[in-house]
Amino acid sequence: MTPIQPEFVETPLHAIAEVQTELVIIEKHQFRIERPADSYALLDDPTVREAHERDEYMPYWADIWPASRMLAKAIAKEPWAEYPKVGDKLEVLELGCGLGIPGLTALACGLRVTFSDYDLTAINFAAKNARRNRFFDFKTLPLDWRHPPVGLKFPVIFGADLTYEERNIQPLVDLLAQVL
């Protein structure tokens, strides 16, 4: 039996006609976030439409969602120094990183972040936003919750606005049980 391979989407860069940079303030932290100026225009791209037909994919990553701001505020207030860590920094995984605002906040709090998403373009935007805000101690990971890499482990996992369809709940629960 052939193992099932993870699937990923890559929103084509040519589908992003224009980008904008937005100042996002999370507690005492300020981040410059680059994002597509018109996220709805991504829905017109044939690659995105095909991904939607195949797997009900939507490019949710391209917007700054209120829940990501709320999660980032909670991260900023968390007493991270009290958490046990292996090595010099606490390693955390951001699921469905989108533009990376919670992960950026975690980086600002001294954590080592792995940005993960199903859309490779989202991961690239999160990494670019991290570098734009002078953070370099991070990793990126394409991640299909249904087929996570064997041996992937993190002591802290966070994500905002992760499930929009009921069919995604069990894969998320299974992922958390395996990776946490």
Side-chain angles (χ1 to χ4, degrees):
M1 184 167 140
T2 304
I4 298 173
Q5 296 297 314
E7 290 186 37
F8 303 106
V9 174
E10 187 168 11
T11 300
L13 290 178
H14 68 261
I16 303 169
E18 186 179 345
V19 295
Q20 66 184 38
T21 302
E22 188 171 327
L23 178 65
V24 174
I25 299 170
I26 304 295
E27 300 298 317
K28 64 181 180 181
H29 309 290
Q30 294 186 17
F31 306 112
R32 297 215 175 276
I33 304 297
E34 184 177 275
R35 65 183 190 83
D38 183 3
S39 62
Y40 289 104
L42 300 177
L43 299 172
D44 295 330
D45 183 81
T47 302
V48 173
R49 284 198 310 267
E50 189 275 326
H52 182 266
E53 291 295 317
R54 184 182 70 249
D55 200 25
E56 296 183 42
Y57 168 77
M58 295 291 288
Y60 294 124
W61 67 268
D63 285 309
I64 298 174
W65 295 95
S68 72
R69 291 177 189 262
M70 292 170 52
L71 175 58
K73 287 179 183 181
I75 290 168
K77 292 177 181 178
E78 189 67 21
W80 295 111
E82 298 173 15
Y83 280 64
K85 57 186 176 243
V86 176
D88 62 333
K89 291 187 178 182
L90 180 63
E91 300 262 352
V92 300
L93 174 66
E94 182 176 5
L95 294 177
C97 68
L99 298 166
I101 294 168
L104 290 173
T105 305
L107 287 165
C109 292
L111 306 174
R112 184 171 290 125
V113 175
T114 297
F115 293 102
S116 73
D117 206 291
Y118 179 69
D119 189 312
L120 305 178
T121 305
I123 295 170
N124 290 331
F125 265 78
K128 190 174 182 180
N129 283 328
R131 288 188 294 273
R132 168 177 283 102
N133 288 279
R134 297 189 175 106
F135 297 113
F136 304 98
D137 193 15
F138 65 88
K139 297 175 187 173
T140 60
L141 176 68
L143 185 60
D144 179 346
W145 302 343
R146 299 165 296 191
H147 311 289
V150 174
L152 186 67
K153 295 286 183 192
F154 283 88
V156 175
I157 301 172
F158 53 79
D161 279 334
L162 294 176
T163 57
Y164 294 95
E165 291 89 23
E166 187 175 338
R167 68 185 177 85
N168 290 327
I169 293 172
Q170 193 58 53
L172 179 58
V173 169
D174 293 344
L175 173 81
L176 291 172
Q178 177 183 327
V179 175
L180 190 61

